[in-house]
């Protein structure tokens, strides 16, 4: 007998929490398998959490936060509950930023930037990048 119940879409909150788990894991250079091992899970379960397909329970999220070295609030900072246009724009920008930071290019850029020890050099690079974005 076929399951006739409709598939539920993941909650936007679950998707956002998953994106933040993925971004932090990748920023640390940790594989899904390594995180899964720390949590006593399969890497497939970590994939489902990161996609928002499966909801992360409170106690498991605490263990994820500890494994990734962030406070649990990291996964919920600046939630959007208002329909205000500027708030929605800020949320969209933050989602774009999280997506970029969790991409291969974003992780590579952040790792390289973090290796620059001289603060003046880092400031000059930020200035250069800002000047390139003004069109």
């Amino acid at each position: 007998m076929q399951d006739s119940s409709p598939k539920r879409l993941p909650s936007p909150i679950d998707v956002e929490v998953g994106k933040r788990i993925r971004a932090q894991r990748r920023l640390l250079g940790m594989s899904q398998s390594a995180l899964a091992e720390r949590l006593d899970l399969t890497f497939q379960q970590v994939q489902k959490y990161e996609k928002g397909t499966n909801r992360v329970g409170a106690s498991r999220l605490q263990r994820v936060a500890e494994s990734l070295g962030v406070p649990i609030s990291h996964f919920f900072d600046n939630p959007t509950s208002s329909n205000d246009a500027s708030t929605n724009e800020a949320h969209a920008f933050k989602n774009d930023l999280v997506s970029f930071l969790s991409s291969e290019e974003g992780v590579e850029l952040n790792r390289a930037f973090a290796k620059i020890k001289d603060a003046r050099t880092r400031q000059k690079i930020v200035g250069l990048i800002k000047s390139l974005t003004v069109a």
Side-chain angles (χ1 to χ4, degrees):
M1 195 185 237
Q2 287 185 345
D3 182 10
S4 61
S5 62
K7 295 235 180 213
R8 286 188 284 156
L9 294 175
S11 157
I13 294 171
D14 294 334
V15 172
E16 181 66 21
V17 167
K19 283 182 181 180
R20 291 177 183 215
I21 291 170
R22 181 175 191 259
Q24 184 64 25
R25 175 185 61 75
R26 294 190 66 192
L27 191 63
L28 296 173
M30 184 185 296
S31 68
Q32 286 179 331
S33 296
L35 179 57
E37 189 174 310
R38 289 182 180 197
L39 301 173
D40 198 28
L41 299 170
T42 64
F43 80 90
Q44 291 94 337
Q45 184 63 42
V46 170
Q47 281 180 332
K48 290 177 183 179
Y49 287 154
E50 290 183 355
K51 290 179 183 175
T53 306
N54 285 10
R55 179 170 288 157
V56 184
S59 59
R60 175 78 34 83
L61 189 58
Q62 180 64 45
R63 290 181 56 208
V64 169
E66 290 168 359
S67 296
L68 297 176
V70 295
I72 199 165
S73 63
H74 172 79
F75 303 110
F76 300 102
D77 287 342
N78 300 324
T80 301
S81 60
S82 167
N83 286 334
D84 180 53
S86 63
T87 305
N88 288 337
E89 286 174 16
H91 186 62
F93 174 76
K94 189 166 189 175
N95 283 342
D96 289 345
L97 183 60
V98 168
S99 293
F100 173 72
L101 291 174
S102 62
S103 71
E104 286 292 330
E105 189 177 36
V107 170
E108 188 177 339
L109 180 66
N110 277 291
R111 282 192 185 137
F113 190 80
K115 290 179 182 177
I116 300 169
K117 301 299 180 201
D118 182 58
R120 288 186 65 213
T121 302
R122 286 193 308 269
Q123 289 171 350
K124 287 180 180 183
I125 291 170
V126 170
L128 172 64
I129 292 170
K130 284 181 177 179
S131 72
L132 293 172
T133 62
V134 178

